[in-house]
Amino acid sequence: MVQQLSPQTTPEIIYPDSDGEPMAENTEQFKWIVLIKENLEIWFAGAADVFVAGDLLWYPVEGNNKLRQAPDAMVIFGRPKGKRGSYKQWEEENIPPQVVFEILSPGNRRKKMFEKLLFYQRYGVQEYYIYDPDENELTGLVRSGDWLEPIEEMNGWVSPLLEIRFELTENNLEIYRPDGRRFLTSVELEQRAEEATARAEEATARLEQERQRAQEATARLEQEQQRYQALLERLREKGIDPEQL
């Protein structure tokens, strides 16, 4: 009797979309994550090949679902926008995130941040920014060869890839787009939108007023022309040639 051996099948590797960790540990950390991610999305909205994400798991190596990080915000040039449960690099033309942001919180211990630095350094990140909102401290690292090297002066630093500028005030971090406009919170954006709508409505109202005034002026001119023609007719009826006057 011949016994046939069934071929061994490799179990499918599952790459979870969540690591079970919260996006943020407190309101301040969450505020900064949203501020950076959303403003970067707005700035790159017209670029079809720039993908911006927040708290999205990044798997750099196929076959290893334990090797992963979820940057608070990340930017990938050369990849289309769209929905993703996670960023599997081998499905993205092997393009890693070029810029990542981390916002410090009480849960981000020194060991954890060191592990993130090694991960980002090993897997191709070009720029790495770390902001501590409690201490108002900004750290930046930029790639030089195989290493992420610290940036000596962050105040006034302009990101080589994003072209955004970082300004540290006494109590806050301000980030400016290449066009000079400051990164705004969702509340500030809503206020700006309302102000822009109000200005547009005022401009429309002024335009309507100008249109009405123009119509009134045209009507007055037509009335004057009618009165002038009537006067000419009366003169001719009396035998007076207006052209001889």
Side-chain angles (χ1 to χ4, degrees):
M1 181 178 179
V2 178
Q3 182 179 7
Q4 291 184 337
L5 298 176
S6 59
Q8 292 184 343
T9 58
T10 303
E12 180 185 2
I13 298 175
I14 304 299
Y15 301 90
D17 291 345
S18 173
D19 57 4
E21 297 291 332
M23 179 178 177
E25 295 184 12
N26 53 57
T27 57
E28 190 68 11
Q29 186 190 23
F30 182 79
K31 181 193 82 172
W32 279 98
I33 293 172
V34 173
L35 175 77
I36 292 172
K37 186 263 184 185
E38 292 300 310
N39 279 270
L40 288 173
E41 282 234 78
I42 292 169
W43 176 245
F44 289 110
D49 62 343
V50 179
F51 175 59
V52 179
D55 195 42
L56 185 71
L57 280 174
W58 163 28
Y59 294 94
V61 178
E62 185 175 11
N64 189 342
N65 60 5
K66 302 298 183 184
L67 191 64
R68 63 195 185 188
Q69 284 291 345
D72 288 334
M74 63 182 181
V75 182
I76 302 101
F77 293 88
R79 297 307 302 149
K81 304 181 189 305
K83 294 181 180 180
R84 292 168 174 83
S86 61
Y87 189 83
K88 303 180 184 70
Q89 189 171 312
W90 58 94
E91 295 180 355
E92 306 281 356
E93 296 186 6
N94 208 35
I95 297 176
Q98 293 97 346
V99 185
V100 300
F101 293 82
E102 293 287 355
I103 308 301
L104 288 185
S105 66
N108 285 323
R109 304 302 180 190
R110 184 181 298 272
K111 179 177 181 294
K112 184 176 181 180
M113 295 309 296
F114 183 69
E115 290 172 350
K116 288 186 176 184
L117 171 60
L118 292 180
F119 183 96
Y120 296 147
Q121 181 170 268
R122 180 176 183 180
Y123 292 106
V125 169
Q126 300 296 310
E127 300 177 36
Y128 177 27
Y129 299 103
I130 310 158
Y131 181 56
D132 183 347
D134 292 332
E135 300 295 331
N136 191 32
E137 290 182 353
L138 177 65
T139 302
L141 301 99
V142 64
R143 182 166 293 276
S144 176
D146 294 333
W147 303 93
L148 285 170
E149 299 288 352
I151 299 165
E152 291 186 5
E153 179 56 63
M154 281 304 303
N155 192 19
W157 171 261
V158 177
S159 160
L161 290 174
L162 304 178
E163 299 182 348
I164 61 176
R165 186 177 82 256
F166 301 93
E167 295 287 347
L168 283 164
T169 65
E170 184 176 353
N171 300 311
N172 196 32
L173 168 66
E174 294 182 348
I175 307 174
Y176 292 87
R177 302 180 347 178
D179 61 4
R181 296 176 62 181
R182 181 173 58 87
F183 276 24
L184 301 175
T185 65
S186 57
V187 173
E188 291 172 323
L189 287 169
E190 178 66 19
Q191 290 172 343
R192 292 287 179 90
E194 290 176 353
E195 291 169 0
T197 300
R199 287 194 297 270
E201 290 175 349
E202 290 174 1
T204 301
R206 286 195 299 270
L207 183 62
E208 178 61 22
Q209 291 173 353
E210 291 296 330
R211 187 184 66 81
Q212 290 177 355
R213 282 195 287 267
Q215 287 179 340
E216 292 170 358
T218 300
R220 286 195 298 269
L221 179 59
E222 290 177 350
Q223 290 173 355
E224 291 296 327
Q225 289 175 339
Q226 290 172 358
R227 283 196 291 269
Y228 178 69
Q229 291 297 327
L231 176 61
L232 293 179
E233 289 298 324
R234 287 197 296 271
L235 289 173
R236 291 190 183 99
E237 290 174 356
K238 294 180 179 183
I240 302 173
D241 185 357
E243 296 180 0
Q244 300 299 320
L245 295 176

